Amino acid sequence: MTTKIISGEFTVALAPIEGYAKGQQGITLGRMSIDKTFSGDLNATGQGEMLSAMTPTQGSAGYVAIEQVIGELEGKQGSFVLQHFGTMNKGQDNLILNVTPDSGTNELKGLTGSMKIRIEQGIHYYDFDYRL
């Protein structure tokens, strides 16, 4: 297995979609669609869904998401699933994105890893630490 770290840019579009639970007692629950386009060594599209919880405290929230990424990773074709877990505590964020075990397909079968997201001057960047 080769371990690599690659970086690149991505665009993301989120849109509210109908959810079952609405939240009560000051909590707002939401559901959103995710559409991404990755460029660089990961040349792919991502599509998924996010569930979020907003608290009455400014800057405190949580979300989980599942996103399937389909395209090319350093010349290898296939897809994989990213599982997101994020919290924000009064503006301090903690975000974990891991490749779902055994979700790699085609030439990406056996892929494992994690991704970090950075936003700099309004541009979204990924740092993908993976093994294949």
Side-chain angles (χ1 to χ4, degrees):
M1 267 193 180
T2 303
T3 299
K4 296 191 94 174
I5 299 175
I6 60 168
S7 298
E9 294 181 22
F10 70 93
T11 60
V12 61
L14 303 173
I17 54 179
E18 187 63 30
Y20 169 71
K22 303 297 180 207
Q24 299 179 38
Q25 300 176 357
I27 302 297
T28 302
L29 300 179
R31 183 175 172 208
M32 310 270 282
S33 63
I34 303 169
D35 288 289
K36 287 185 185 170
T37 302
F38 296 90
S39 60
D41 289 328
L42 176 59
N43 187 14
T45 58
Q47 196 169 46
E49 292 189 19
M50 173 195 310
L51 298 175
S52 64
M54 305 294 287
T55 73
T57 302
Q58 180 71 25
S60 292
Y63 91 96
V64 294
I66 292 287
E67 168 189 8
Q68 186 175 27
V69 178
I70 301 171
E72 189 175 288
L73 174 61
E74 293 196 301
K76 294 184 178 357
Q77 296 284 330
S79 70
F80 59 94
V81 174
L82 283 174
Q83 185 169 333
H84 302 228
F85 174 83
T87 57
M88 187 169 264
N89 184 356
K90 296 176 187 73
Q92 286 286 84
D93 65 340
N94 179 35
L95 180 58
I96 299 167
L97 280 79
N98 285 327
V99 174
T100 300
D102 299 313
S103 65
T105 66
N106 300 330
E107 294 178 295
L108 301 181
K109 199 172 192 95
L111 178 73
T112 62
S114 62
M115 186 178 284
K116 289 186 169 82
I117 292 175
R118 298 178 280 121
I119 303 172
E120 297 172 1
Q121 298 175 331
I123 300 171
H124 288 76
Y125 296 93
Y126 65 86
D127 299 307
F128 191 23
D129 181 346
Y130 75 90
R131 285 154 301 291
L132 185 60

